[in-house]
Amino acid sequence: MVTILVPGSAIADCVNLADGTITPIKVKSCQAINGATHPKVLKSGDISKFISSRSRPYWDYKAAYTGALVTDAADLVWMYTSSASNPCKSFTKSKPVRMRTYSTCCDTGSWGKCVLGGKWLGDVKGKRIDAFQ
């Protein structure tokens, strides 16, 4: 059996090639979240031992899931990681905000990155989010 790959066909359909694109997000709602106490994050289990055994430093998902869950006008839920005491301050209902958007491919394993959907918001001038970390 011979498999022929067309350029680009080997990329999963859940990969967003435009990761890091500056996008206007029209806010429908915002909810502060603490990854150390949120039931869905805690239910995902402790993956730190598995990941820290790899050559890269492990991804601290409890810290990553601390900040704000932002729902946009299209009912997409985005995670905005922040240590601010009021992470929803910048997300006023019905007001568009410009953010960098990132996606994590949720079918690549149980790395804890898709606990709440795998969509991430980052500040326009902030550090790039490595969605495949």
Side-chain angles (χ1 to χ4, degrees):
M1 179 176 181
V2 175
T3 302
I4 299 173
L5 292 176
V6 177
S9 67
I11 297 174
D13 61 1
C14 57
V15 175
N16 179 357
L17 296 177
D19 270 358
T21 302
I22 298 173
T23 307
I25 302 289
K26 187 172 181 183
V27 178
K28 181 176 179 180
S29 67
C30 183
Q31 173 190 1
I33 178 175
N34 182 335
T37 59
H38 193 278
K40 284 187 179 179
V41 177
L42 294 174
K43 186 179 177 184
S44 69
D46 183 5
I47 59 171
S48 62
K49 289 180 184 173
F50 170 75
I51 297 174
S52 63
S53 68
R54 305 294 186 234
S55 60
R56 298 190 299 190
Y58 83 88
W59 189 68
D60 185 349
Y61 69 101
K62 288 180 182 176
Y65 282 109
T66 295
L69 280 177
V70 179
T71 303
D72 69 14
D75 286 327
L76 295 174
V77 178
W78 300 86
M79 182 66 220
Y80 176 70
T81 301
S82 173
S83 60
S85 61
N86 183 2
C88 288
K89 184 177 181 179
S90 302
F91 300 102
T92 305
K93 185 177 180 178
S94 300
K95 181 181 175 188
V97 292
R98 290 173 32 96
M99 303 295 293
R100 289 199 184 271
T101 58
Y102 303 89
S103 298
T104 298
C105 190
C106 292
D107 65 357
T108 59
S110 58
W111 290 77
K113 296 183 289 185
C114 295
V115 173
L116 300 168
K119 295 195 176 304
W120 301 88
L121 294 177
D123 294 319
V124 171
K125 294 182 180 180
K127 181 180 176 186
R128 178 172 173 74
I129 295 172
D130 181 2
F132 289 97
Q133 181 178 11

